[in-house]
Amino acid sequence: MSGITVTRAHLADAALAVVVGALVLTTAAGGALVDYALVAAACGALAFHRAAPRAVLAVATVSGAAHVLHAQPGTLAALPVIGAVHTAARVGHRALAGAAAGVFLAAHLATGPGTQEVLEKSALLAGWFLCAVVTGLADRNWQAYLRQTEQRAAEAERTREEAALRRAGEERLRIARELHDSLTHSISIVKLQAGVAVHLARKRGEEVPPALLAIQEASGEAMRELRATLEVLRTDEPSGDPALLVERARAAGLAAELAVTGDARPLPATVDRAVYRIVQEALTNAARHAGQAQISVELAYGREDVTIRVDDDGNAVPDRPPVPGIGLTGMRERVTALGGTLHAGPRAEGGFSVRAHLPLGEAG
């Protein structure tokens, strides 16, 4: 939240406290000084309802109940308590909100137990408090829906970008293969034939034609440039150290740990990129779905394979398996393309597990 937005929110909260205070003070007109102090305390607390909703609820309830018991004002005196109850219900403190409403209603009933007027006003206030709790819960659910919608939009944007990057990488690899299969062979033949012609001319003691030397040199230069171009095209994805991903996750507030077993060593480029992407996607999913969970990342190096395991103890349960999204689908496609296996699903003891087994092949 930007500084301007925070300032506007504080000003709005202060204005709310002033308006409610002005309304409630009409019921305390002509009263004692203590009544004005109690009203000021109950209404002034509303200015801090965002930062400390439970403290505001306590101050407003105690001050409002004391004001009712001392001065026996009208129903407008309940406004600061109603606002505090609404705020508490909105942030999830339903039990505290109901208890505060009960305390204030009990104080109101004590001002005239058994009288018809007090019973009618108490029933009216009970309806107001019920509306405050219901609207607070509705506002909470609406805010949760908005956050979920924003997360889904962000995830959809991220998955669209990943899909576009993957398609671009596949297209670059296809172009690289086509260039390699067509141009490399042809240029190699030209370079070979020019070299043979130069060798035979020198062997016979003849002067080598300048055009032939130019062909030999140009074909060699073309081969070098083509190899450099193919290297650029084949580098379709960035790779990195999974340990850095774990460090970034910890810096973002996740309880993530990394364990490395076996003989850690440089991996083939395709496998190295796959390991990086699998750990990245698994940590992203854990951060989005596992909540405040413990996450363990394990890299096990074998002689002919490498195993990646990312476990969390979040909210996933076996009887409610998640629907695979684009991230898990892309992860499975990446592993399958390398001849490996992937298991991704809820654990029996709770939480989610991603386990990928990648063979190193001859390059390992």
Side-chain angles (χ1 to χ4, degrees):
M1 187 180 292
S2 65
I4 296 177
T5 305
V6 171
T7 302
R8 289 178 178 174
H10 289 167
L11 291 176
D13 295 342
L16 172 65
V18 170
V19 171
V20 173
L23 292 174
V24 178
L25 282 175
T26 60
T27 66
L33 183 61
V34 65
D35 294 325
Y36 289 102
L38 291 172
V39 170
C43 297
L46 293 179
F48 307 97
H49 71 89
R50 298 179 193 269
R54 288 183 293 184
V56 169
L57 181 65
V59 171
T61 303
V62 172
S63 301
H67 179 219
V68 167
L69 291 173
H70 183 265
Q72 301 182 9
T75 53
L76 282 179
L79 286 180
V81 185
I82 292 173
V85 166
H86 170 83
T87 300
R90 187 180 62 185
V91 296
H93 304 307
R94 292 174 292 182
L96 291 177
V103 169
F104 187 86
L105 288 174
H108 193 272
L109 284 171
T111 60
T115 62
Q116 183 68 23
E117 182 182 0
V118 171
L119 289 176
E120 290 177 355
K121 289 184 178 180
S122 298
L124 176 62
L125 290 176
W128 286 5
F129 279 116
L130 180 60
C131 289
V133 173
V134 171
T135 55
L137 294 177
D139 189 20
R140 174 181 174 83
N141 293 334
W142 175 249
Q143 294 298 328
Y145 171 75
L146 290 180
R147 286 193 298 269
Q148 188 178 26
T149 302
E150 292 174 356
Q151 290 176 355
R152 287 178 177 175
E155 181 179 359
E157 182 65 24
R158 182 182 65 85
T159 51
R160 278 197 299 269
E161 292 178 356
E162 290 182 353
L165 289 174
R166 186 164 58 250
R167 286 194 297 268
E170 292 171 353
E171 182 63 17
R172 284 197 297 268
L173 289 176
R174 187 190 66 81
I175 294 173
R177 286 193 296 268
E178 292 293 334
L179 289 175
H180 180 272
D181 294 342
S182 59
L183 293 181
T184 304
H185 176 73
S186 300
I187 296 175
S188 298
I189 294 299
V190 171
K191 184 172 183 288
L192 177 62
Q193 291 179 343
V196 170
V198 170
H199 174 71
L200 292 177
R202 288 173 176 169
K203 186 176 181 179
R204 291 193 296 263
E206 300 175 355
E207 183 180 356
V208 180
L212 194 57
L213 292 174
I215 292 173
Q216 185 184 34
E217 182 179 355
S219 59
E221 182 65 25
M223 283 293 295
R224 288 190 292 273
E225 292 182 358
L226 182 58
R227 288 195 188 99
T229 302
L230 293 179
E231 277 297 318
V232 173
L233 289 174
R234 289 186 182 278
T235 309
D236 61 330
E237 292 181 283
S239 60
D241 187 0
L244 294 178
L245 294 175
V246 176
E247 288 294 333
R248 292 173 190 166
R250 279 202 290 262
L254 295 179
E257 297 293 336
L258 173 66
V260 179
T261 60
D263 180 20
R265 60 194 183 278
L267 299 174
T270 54
V271 178
D272 188 53
R273 287 193 292 268
V275 170
Y276 183 83
R277 286 302 193 188
I278 291 170
V279 173
Q280 183 183 48
E281 182 65 29
L283 288 175
T284 301
N285 288 338
R288 189 162 57 247
H289 301 299
Q292 299 298 321
Q294 295 286 333
I295 306 170
S296 63
V297 180
E298 180 183 354
L299 299 180
Y301 291 86
R303 293 191 60 184
E304 299 179 352
D305 55 26
V306 61
T307 301
I308 309 102
R309 185 163 188 163
V310 183
D311 296 339
D312 66 67
D313 57 358
N315 303 321
V317 291
D319 57 348
R320 285 184 296 157
V323 178
I326 295 180
L328 283 179
T329 301
M331 189 188 302
R332 188 175 301 279
E333 291 174 351
R334 189 186 303 276
V335 172
T336 303
L338 294 175
T341 58
L342 175 73
H343 170 77
R347 303 191 302 168
E349 60 271 30
F352 199 81
S353 176
V354 174
R355 183 183 178 93
H357 177 81
L358 299 176
L360 299 182
E362 294 181 0

